[in-house]
Amino acid sequence: QVQLVESGGGLVQAGGSLRLSCVASGSISSINGMGWYRQVPGKQRELVATLTSGGITDYADAVKGRFTISRDNAKNRVNLQMNSLKPEDTAVYYCNYQRLWGTRLSYWGQGTQVTVSS
């Protein structure tokens, strides 16, 4: 099992910045992907950004150029630096961990609220 602990959510003004962090613990595979997804009422959970242990990144078009994902593999930590925040970024952000070796196991954090005021 993998446990994910998120931090950094909050309320910010449009144009501001926020940094989310997630630490994974438990049965961590050295071959994995970690990242962030977000969800708002009435919509499906959507990709924000992911980063594999091998350095492969994937960003949603809506956040490219504004958000930056990074990770510290030794600490099993993934960060999301969010700049130039927009009200449309308001959502619950969920940390995700995926085992990429053998069985494709996926785990989710509890979610952290990000609210961007107009």
Side-chain angles (χ1 to χ4, degrees):
Q1 298 294 313
V2 173
Q3 296 77 46
L4 303 172
V5 179
E6 303 144 325
S7 62
L11 189 154
V12 297
Q13 295 182 331
S17 298
L18 202 62
R19 181 174 181 270
L20 305 182
S21 294
C22 174
V23 177
S25 62
S27 301
I28 306 299
S29 171
S30 61
I31 308 299
N32 64 71
M34 293 186 69
W36 296 89
Y37 293 71
R38 65 188 182 187
Q39 187 169 26
V40 299
K43 296 188 66 177
Q44 297 293 116
R45 189 171 299 182
E46 66 179 19
L47 166 75
V48 177
T50 58
L51 176 59
T52 72
S53 54
I56 305 300
T57 60
D58 189 19
Y59 289 93
D61 289 341
V63 307
K64 288 181 179 178
R66 299 188 297 119
F67 293 8
T68 302
I69 189 169
S70 62
R71 61 186 291 170
D72 182 338
N73 290 333
K75 298 180 179 180
N76 297 315
R77 180 191 298 271
V78 63
N79 303 309
L80 184 69
Q81 180 65 46
M82 304 185 293
N83 298 323
S84 301
L85 283 162
K86 305 175 180 179
E88 306 93 270
D89 295 317
T90 296
V92 177
Y93 284 68
Y94 296 90
C95 180
N96 174 262
Y97 167 94
Q98 295 185 74
R99 177 186 175 187
L100 299 179
W101 175 258
T103 304
R104 297 297 190 272
L105 302 176
S106 184
Y107 301 87
W108 296 94
Q110 300 304 305
T112 184
Q113 178 70 46
V114 171
T115 302
V116 184
S117 62
S118 301

